[in-house]
Amino acid sequence: MEASATFTGDVDKTQIPPLNQKRILAFVNHFLISTCTFLNEFALNCETKFVRMERQLQRTEAALIILEAKLASIPVDNEADNSSTPQVNIEATISDEIDKPAAEEPTEVEVKGVKVCEDIHYKKFFKMLHVGVPAPAVKIKMQTEGLDPHLLDKPDFMLEDGVLE
């Protein structure tokens, strides 16, 4: 056979000796075994990474639950001040009313409502800021709960429909 005949395809195929079937079978078996081994190792590696990632997510979730519990247990400074102040204010108001003549009208106009920082719906968000949670994260959380995140910048704003705890 000529080399040029091999390239052009003008070869008489009856003149070519048959391939050794044992050798072809060995190549196919080697290919199948190596491919199956690779796929098994790849699947094991992926599964190991998924298990590791799941453990990290569980640890993160547990840490988040602990952090939320700690946040809930921290008293806000306003709560401690408000618990003693109303009693003093009520007593002072009663004594002032008794001492003042009935003809005098108070010059102070009472503003009805509740401060945003004292409202039951917004109080936990101000507590989160107090503990050190970043303001943008708190605003996103407020939006997910359907509250106005702009009120976080105005803690003394009065809500007419606010609710005290």
Side-chain angles (χ1 to χ4, degrees):
M1 279 197 285
E2 293 181 17
S4 64
T6 307
F7 291 119
T8 58
D10 298 336
V11 178
D12 184 18
K13 294 185 173 85
T14 58
Q15 301 297 325
I16 299 176
L19 295 174
N20 189 351
Q21 289 182 352
K22 288 183 180 181
R23 187 172 179 197
I24 292 176
L25 187 62
F27 283 138
V28 170
N29 282 341
H30 176 71
F31 172 76
L32 290 175
I33 289 172
S34 63
T35 303
C36 288
T37 304
F38 168 76
L39 291 175
N40 286 336
E41 289 175 359
F42 180 74
L44 180 66
N45 190 15
C46 288
E47 187 176 354
T48 305
K49 288 182 180 183
F50 280 132
V51 168
R52 194 176 309 134
M53 183 64 71
E54 184 179 7
R55 285 184 186 151
Q56 285 180 335
L57 283 174
Q58 287 175 347
R59 278 191 228 126
T60 305
E61 186 176 358
L64 180 63
I65 291 171
I66 291 170
L67 179 62
E68 287 177 350
K70 285 181 180 179
L71 279 174
S73 69
I74 295 176
V76 177
D77 293 337
N78 294 342
E79 289 178 1
D81 294 341
N82 290 341
S83 62
S84 61
T85 342
Q87 295 171 355
V88 174
N89 286 342
I90 292 171
E91 292 171 6
T93 307
I94 292 173
S95 64
D96 288 343
E97 287 178 6
I98 294 173
D99 295 339
K100 288 183 182 178
E104 287 185 30
E105 292 188 19
T107 57
E108 222 177 276
V109 177
E110 287 188 33
V111 179
K112 293 183 179 180
V114 177
K115 287 185 178 180
V116 174
C117 62
E118 296 172 356
D119 184 59
I120 190 170
H121 303 292
Y122 291 92
K123 186 180 268 186
K124 70 177 180 178
F125 298 109
F126 285 100
K127 188 185 293 185
M128 289 169 76
L129 282 178
H130 180 71
V131 173
V133 178
V138 176
K139 287 182 179 183
I140 291 171
K141 180 74 172 169
M142 289 174 74
Q143 282 181 334
T144 60
E145 293 191 14
L147 299 173
D148 185 12
H150 299 291
L151 293 178
L152 195 62
D153 300 328
K154 308 172 196 171
D156 295 327
F157 184 75
M158 299 298 283
L159 293 174
E160 294 181 10
D161 59 345
V163 180
L164 280 176
E165 193 169 25

